[in-house]
Amino acid sequence: MTLYALLWQPFIEFSFMRYALVGCLALAFGCAPVGVFLVLRRMSLVGDALSHAVLPGAAIGFLLFGLSLTAMSIGGLIAGLVVMLGAGLITRGTQMREDASFAAFYLISLAVGVLLVSKWGSNVDLMHILFGTVLAVDDLALMFLASVASITLIALAVLYRPLVVESFDTDFLRAMGGGGAFAHLVFLILVVLNLVAGFQALGTLMAVGLMMLPAATARLWARRLPGLLGVAMLIALFSAYGGLLLSYHFNLPSGPAIVLTAGVQYAVSLFFGSHGGMVWRWLHLRHLRA
């Protein structure tokens, strides 16, 4: 097999592969920086919780209108926002911590979504919603994915300073009247938007993978925030490209192949990452003993 056939031929010969690649690259541009801020704010599990929270809304849209991108997106967005606002209100109105509130809502949402599809749909419907169909991305889906990525990058650029300050010193931002609550609310909406966009391609269970794995991997290669954002984006972009190639050449499901490509990079980085990788830590300790 030539290098051309290995790396480019699938995207040149087949339009569904080109659509899938463009869609996943757009998804990577939006999800990676959001994931970095989730890691910095110690909210990694919130992203996972919200990815499950969109399930009942997407399931209702799917059951009512079939494979309609608009209906599933609107349903998922409404469900995600309801869970986000509900968890926020409970956190502020009770002694419940934010992670516990999100965990409770996500478990309820997951159960409702699976119940809806199991009762009035089929196992095929459930698998479609849970694992997505990246190879069925069309023009409308591409426009949605590109719009979400653009909105995310613009919003993060505008709110960059309050998000960074709040990630490290919430009390300081509150004392300075920096609008931390507004930035936090907008940031959570961005998380929901990207997860709704992600489930179109990767499914509700896999969508958070392209958000969190590149961000966690970047922590092992960079310390400064611009470096973290750049490395996370590169890892997410390569995961999309490499995962689709793996899916094509080895006849694998596309969503899991993309997430596993990101997972392999994370596993390699655990050993060789220049900031905290096991090999470098071992060499450093050996140097100190010598």
Side-chain angles (χ1 to χ4, degrees):
M1 180 180 292
T2 64
L3 198 60
Y4 165 78
L6 181 67
L7 300 179
W8 303 113
Q9 187 178 21
F11 303 110
I12 292 175
E13 286 195 359
F14 302 105
S15 61
F16 68 88
M17 289 293 291
R18 288 197 297 275
Y19 274 69
L21 178 63
V22 175
C24 288
L25 293 182
L27 193 61
F29 274 115
C31 283
V34 169
V36 168
F37 280 104
L38 279 174
V39 171
L40 287 179
R41 298 160 77 88
R42 296 180 176 84
M43 296 173 63
S44 303
L45 292 179
V46 170
D48 187 41
L50 285 175
S51 72
H52 293 77
V54 304
L55 179 61
I60 292 173
F62 186 82
L63 292 175
L64 292 178
F65 300 97
L67 192 58
S68 167
L69 170 68
T70 305
M72 293 173 66
S73 299
I74 293 175
L77 183 61
I78 292 173
L81 292 176
V82 167
V83 168
M84 182 194 76
L85 294 174
L89 289 174
I90 288 178
T91 302
R92 284 158 181 74
T94 68
Q95 294 184 343
M96 188 80 72
R97 290 175 60 88
E98 189 174 38
D99 57 341
S101 300
F102 273 106
F105 270 92
Y106 115 73
L107 289 170
I108 295 170
S109 298
L110 181 63
V112 171
V114 173
L115 180 67
L116 287 173
V117 180
S118 301
K119 182 70 176 175
W120 289 284
S122 67
N123 289 335
V124 176
D125 298 337
L126 181 60
M127 293 296 287
H128 169 80
I129 295 175
L130 291 180
F131 299 108
T133 52
V134 68
L135 299 182
V137 170
D138 56 12
D139 289 332
L140 187 60
L142 279 186
M143 289 180 61
F144 181 67
L145 290 169
S147 299
V148 170
S150 301
I151 292 171
T152 300
L153 293 177
I154 292 172
L156 290 180
V158 172
L159 297 173
Y160 184 82
R161 185 179 295 275
L163 283 176
V164 172
V165 174
E166 194 190 30
S167 297
F168 296 100
D169 195 339
T170 306
D171 294 334
F172 173 76
L173 184 63
R174 187 181 298 119
M176 298 297 293
F182 174 74
H184 184 68
L185 176 64
V186 174
F187 176 69
L188 287 178
I189 292 175
L190 292 179
V191 175
V192 174
L193 268 177
N194 278 275
L195 291 172
V196 170
F199 88 72
Q200 299 292 332
L202 305 177
T204 56
L205 294 184
M206 296 285 107
V208 74
L210 204 56
M211 183 177 288
M212 300 312 306
L213 284 172
T217 307
R219 291 281 288 176
L220 296 163
W221 293 102
R223 288 194 183 279
R224 299 176 65 84
L225 185 54
L228 284 171
L229 293 171
V231 173
M233 278 193 180
L234 287 176
I235 292 172
L237 293 172
F238 179 77
S239 301
Y241 173 71
L244 285 174
L245 282 180
L246 284 176
S247 169
Y248 176 83
H249 290 299
F250 295 99
N251 194 26
L252 299 173
S254 301
I258 291 171
V259 176
L260 281 177
T261 303
V264 169
Q265 294 175 85
Y266 174 70
V268 172
S269 301
L270 285 176
F271 288 95
F272 301 105
S274 57
H275 293 291
M278 294 180 186
V279 171
W280 291 108
R281 288 172 63 89
W282 178 77
L283 289 175
H284 180 66
L285 292 175
R286 187 181 182 189
H287 171 73
L288 291 178
R289 285 198 296 268

